[in-house]
Amino acid sequence: MDPAEPPTAKITYRSYLRLPELLDCQSPLSDAHDELLFIAIHQSSEIWMKLCIHELEAARSHIARDAIPPALKMLSRVSRIQAQMIQSWEILATMTPVDYDRMRGTLGSSSGFQSDQYRRIEFLMGNKNARMLDVFADEPAVHASLATALHEPSLYDEALRLLARRGLPLSEAVLRRDVSQPYVPSPEVEACWTRVYQQSDTYWDLYELAEKLVDLEYRFQLWRFGHLKTVERVIGFKRGTGGTAGVAYLAKVIEQVFFPELLAVRTTL
């Protein structure tokens, strides 16, 4: 190589994206035609989730430093990613029950329930549940990483700390709560968000942040609903491969709320 030639001179589209390795990862275990579809949808979803984690962690860091504009951009990007992920259910829904039965045996006990990236996103957004770590008991590195995420403040925790730094009255009970525990709705938090909405000219960036969080939750719930309806369409009310109750489990998950006061404030207003 010419010493004067930059190290990137030999980079090609295929080498930069590592396409040979990437495209070698789609390896069906059966001769079922639709297994490639199933693998491609789930692998692409994991790549999108990797980007969501990258953006959500950065947004949380910016909020903690009072840097709201870049955080808003990152949250907007996650919402756009979620739109892509929601659309992917439309593609997977082209798989019929017969198509799925031809390949279901190759899945063994594997399940989306075992996605550590999905669990990390839930923790980042505030749905903390220590019992979910048990799923990864046989993977020490993954278990340890998620345990760390469990004990870190969520995006919402940092947003509430930001409200307090802006002079909104939040008690120490809210600000110093155990962030590894599920979030419990608070009347004082709802009162603070109500003030932000009613005085949006004064708290414009906080108002924008609130709406970005609502958008994030809205699209996440649409993704959950799309998952439920796709599973219902493909396997009906059978149990999931990972041992969950399938559609019944997914319906219960939809009831979980990330930012409760931001929804409750709409009734208050």
Side-chain angles (χ1 to χ4, degrees):
M1 182 177 183
D2 185 343
E5 194 173 38
T8 57
K10 298 296 184 181
I11 292 179
T12 67
Y13 179 80
R14 282 171 56 82
S15 66
Y16 177 71
L17 296 178
R18 299 179 62 183
L19 289 184
E21 298 97 322
L22 178 64
L23 298 178
D24 193 46
C25 290
Q26 294 75 53
S27 305
L29 300 179
S30 73
D31 59 1
H33 177 81
D34 281 17
E35 189 177 357
L36 181 58
L37 164 67
F38 189 86
I39 293 172
I41 290 292
H42 287 84
Q43 287 187 347
S44 61
S45 293
E46 290 289 336
I47 292 174
W48 282 125
M49 283 192 279
K50 182 176 182 177
L51 183 54
C52 283
I53 291 167
H54 176 71
E55 300 295 340
L56 290 172
E57 288 181 339
R60 179 180 61 183
S61 178
H62 280 295
I63 292 169
R65 300 198 306 271
D66 290 12
I68 308 308
L72 297 179
K73 177 182 177 180
M74 292 162 183
L75 295 177
S76 291
R77 180 174 291 165
V78 173
S79 292
R80 300 302 183 274
I81 295 168
Q82 289 174 314
Q84 291 279 6
M85 294 177 69
I86 292 166
Q87 182 61 31
S88 71
W89 294 127
E90 296 288 328
I91 304 170
L92 189 60
T94 62
M95 176 184 285
T96 69
V98 173
D99 296 329
Y100 183 65
D101 281 343
R102 289 186 178 127
M103 55 148 290
R104 186 173 186 177
T106 66
L107 299 177
S109 60
S110 66
S111 166
F113 189 73
Q114 300 159 346
S115 170
D116 59 290
Q117 291 202 121
Y118 173 79
R119 192 58 53 199
R120 184 177 296 276
I121 291 173
E122 290 252 355
F123 285 177
L124 270 166
M125 290 180 60
N127 185 20
K128 302 292 185 74
N129 185 342
R131 291 178 299 174
M132 293 302 174
L133 297 179
D134 296 343
V135 176
F136 309 97
D138 295 332
E139 301 177 87
V142 174
H143 186 280
S145 179
L146 284 177
T148 297
L150 179 72
H151 288 86
E152 291 174 341
S154 71
L155 192 66
Y156 198 49
D157 288 320
E158 290 295 359
L160 298 184
R161 293 173 185 181
L162 173 64
L163 294 185
R165 291 195 299 274
R166 293 294 181 85
L168 291 157
L170 287 175
S171 68
E172 291 296 299
V174 171
L175 300 174
R176 297 188 180 278
R177 76 180 193 88
D178 182 351
V179 297
S180 70
Q181 296 300 310
Y183 180 78
V184 178
S186 161
E188 64 178 290
V189 171
E190 184 178 338
C192 287
W193 283 123
T194 300
R195 183 170 163 184
V196 167
Y197 275 82
Q198 290 177 333
Q199 301 177 32
S200 58
D201 287 346
T202 302
Y203 300 108
W204 185 258
D205 59 346
L206 299 181
Y207 172 69
E208 281 193 297
L209 176 61
E211 284 298 287
K212 294 299 182 187
L213 293 175
V214 171
D215 193 40
L216 197 63
E217 171 144 348
Y218 172 72
R219 292 180 188 276
F220 201 95
Q221 293 289 39
L222 288 180
W223 185 86
R224 283 172 163 173
F225 184 74
H227 187 191
L228 182 155
K229 299 307 289 185
T230 302
V231 171
E232 181 182 74
R233 176 172 177 162
V234 175
I235 71 169
F237 293 89
K238 296 176 184 175
R239 292 189 66 81
T241 51
T244 70
V247 168
Y249 169 77
L250 295 175
K252 186 176 181 180
V253 167
I254 288 177
E255 297 173 2
Q256 298 169 349
V257 176
F258 295 105
F259 317 125
E261 292 90 356
L262 290 177
L263 300 180
V265 74
R266 281 145 166 79
T267 303
T268 302
L269 293 171

